């Protein structure tokens, strides 16, 4: 996969082999609560090579989701840097950050965030609707619709395209959220507790979907979880405690 921004300089092949795809370096982040600053990240760092599947595990409040949001440009660090193929991106202007979020990053959240008034098919189409101007979208609408239907078939939801989120099970909504993330052809998939709102059987199905994506397309995945069994299925485990990296393990997925 390659990102589509014409303003983004492509690295040489040699650089791509040695430079991590995404790096979060010495990230510090605090939030204000009244008069007080609450530190969440205290110098945490994480790098991912192209095609890696990484689990970030830690207790509630350890800073897992905050680190993921900073990496995906959903939030800005107080200190530290986020690099994409060696180039800093967290300090870009809003338009450039928006473009990277739409072209490079795909997001999956615990609570799906599907728009309730849209059908599943329409939800999956939204990233490309946002990417194109009204005229461009209208010209490409049949192509976009066909692409969305194909992706929904791939995740086993071809029979649910006309249903709204309220008519879907939790597992179906999460697979729909995965399809929505994939239609933009991201280079990096950031998954925040993707099985956290599901029963164990459905959670296993979602993990099988993510592992298959990683194996078949070399999609880089960084997944936050508090579930040890889920974390063990990634290539590598990064443990976060009190806003800092505690340990880094290298265990092959089961």
């Amino acid at each position: 996969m390659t990102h589509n921004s014409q303003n983004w300089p492509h690295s040489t092949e040699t650089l791509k082999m040695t430079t991590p795809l995404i790096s979060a370096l010495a990230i510090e982040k605090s939030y204000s609560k009244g008069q007080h600053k609450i530190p969440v990240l205290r110098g945490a760092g994480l790098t991912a090579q192209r095609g890696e599947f990484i689990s970030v595990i830690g207790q509630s409040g350890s800073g897992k989701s905050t680190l993921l949001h900073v990496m995906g440009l959903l939030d800005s660090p107080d200190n530290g840097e986020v690099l994409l193929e060696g180039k800093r991106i967290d300090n870009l202007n809003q338009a450039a950050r928006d473009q990277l979020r739409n072209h490079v990053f795909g997001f999956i959240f615990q609570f799906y965030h599907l728009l309730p008034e849209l059908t599943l098919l329409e939800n999956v189409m939204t990233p490309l609707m946002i990417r194109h101007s009204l005229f461009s979208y209208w010209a490409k609408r049949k192509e976009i619709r066909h692409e969305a239907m194909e992706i929904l078939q791939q995740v086993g939801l071809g029979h649910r395209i006309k249903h709204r989120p309220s008519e879907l099970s939790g597992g179906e909504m999460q697979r729909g959220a995965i399809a929505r993330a994939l239609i933009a052809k991201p280079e990096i998939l950031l998954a925040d507790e993707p099985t956290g709102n599901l029963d164990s059987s459905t959670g296993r199905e979602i993990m099988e979907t993510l592992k298959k994506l990683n194996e078949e397309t070399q999609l880089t995945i960084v997944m936050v979880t508090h579930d040890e069994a889920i974390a063990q299925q990634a290539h590598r485990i990064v443990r976060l405690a009190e806003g800092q990296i505690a340990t880094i393990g290298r265990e092959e997925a089961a």
Side-chain angles (χ1 to χ4, degrees):
M1 297 181 190
T2 56
H3 41 77
N4 300 317
S5 170
Q6 294 180 351
N7 297 323
W8 188 265
H10 292 280
S11 304
T12 64
E13 289 304 313
T14 302
L15 206 59
K16 283 184 177 179
M17 292 172 63
T18 58
T19 304
L21 177 59
I22 183 76
S23 305
L25 306 177
I27 301 298
E28 297 180 9
K29 182 68 181 178
S30 298
Y31 293 105
S32 297
K33 187 174 183 181
Q35 299 287 328
H36 303 284
K37 284 270 191 179
I38 309 297
V40 179
L41 295 175
R42 306 167 187 256
L46 174 64
T47 64
Q49 299 290 342
R50 190 177 297 276
E52 267 199 293
F53 189 163
I54 299 174
S55 289
V56 181
I57 191 167
Q59 295 183 346
S60 178
S62 61
K64 305 184 304 295
S65 294
T66 300
L67 179 59
L68 202 72
H69 292 178
V70 168
M71 290 180 71
L73 306 182
L74 295 174
D75 207 346
S76 298
D78 297 333
N79 288 296
E81 299 178 349
V82 180
L83 309 180
L84 180 65
E85 292 183 336
K87 181 171 180 179
R88 189 172 181 184
I89 58 174
D90 63 280
N91 62 347
L92 296 175
N93 63 44
Q94 189 62 50
R97 288 159 60 93
D98 289 346
Q99 188 176 44
L100 287 173
R101 281 196 298 267
N102 189 256
H103 288 81
V104 174
F105 296 103
F107 300 93
I108 308 172
F109 301 99
Q110 179 177 353
F111 295 104
Y112 326 124
H113 295 313
L114 298 176
L115 298 173
E117 67 274 16
L118 300 183
T119 65
L120 181 59
L121 181 63
E122 290 166 342
N123 266 286
V124 173
M125 292 167 63
T126 53
L128 296 190
M129 294 170 69
I130 293 169
R131 180 178 295 180
H132 296 287
S133 66
L134 182 60
F135 178 79
S136 176
Y137 168 72
W138 188 253
K140 296 182 178 182
R141 67 192 186 284
K142 290 183 180 179
E143 177 186 337
I144 292 172
R145 179 182 174 87
H146 177 72
E147 192 171 346
M149 290 179 70
E150 279 195 336
I151 292 174
L152 283 168
Q153 290 282 0
Q154 290 173 19
V155 298
L157 291 174
H159 62 300
R160 302 292 256 167
I161 62 172
K162 295 182 179 179
H163 290 74
R164 286 182 167 76
S166 61
E167 301 171 298
L168 303 175
S169 69
E172 287 172 334
M173 284 192 282
Q174 193 60 289
R175 279 185 282 150
I178 292 171
R180 179 183 58 190
L182 293 179
I183 197 169
K185 296 182 174 63
E187 294 186 52
I188 303 163
L189 185 64
L190 302 175
D192 192 355
E193 297 278 10
T195 65
N197 204 34
L198 305 172
D199 61 68
S200 58
S201 175
T202 307
R204 283 194 296 270
E205 292 177 6
I206 295 301
M207 283 304 302
E208 286 303 316
T209 299
L210 293 178
K211 287 165 65 178
K212 185 177 179 182
L213 281 169
N214 171 254
E215 291 165 4
E216 293 183 354
T217 69
Q218 289 297 293
L219 177 65
T220 302
I221 301 176
V222 181
M223 176 185 69
V224 157
T225 183
H226 66 275
D227 188 319
E228 187 73 34
I230 293 294
Q232 291 288 343
Q233 297 182 57
H235 299 152
R236 183 158 61 97
I237 299 172
V238 174
R239 299 183 187 277
L240 201 61
E242 297 182 352
Q244 296 180 314
I245 300 301
T247 58
I248 300 175
R250 291 184 177 275
E251 300 179 49
E252 289 301 317

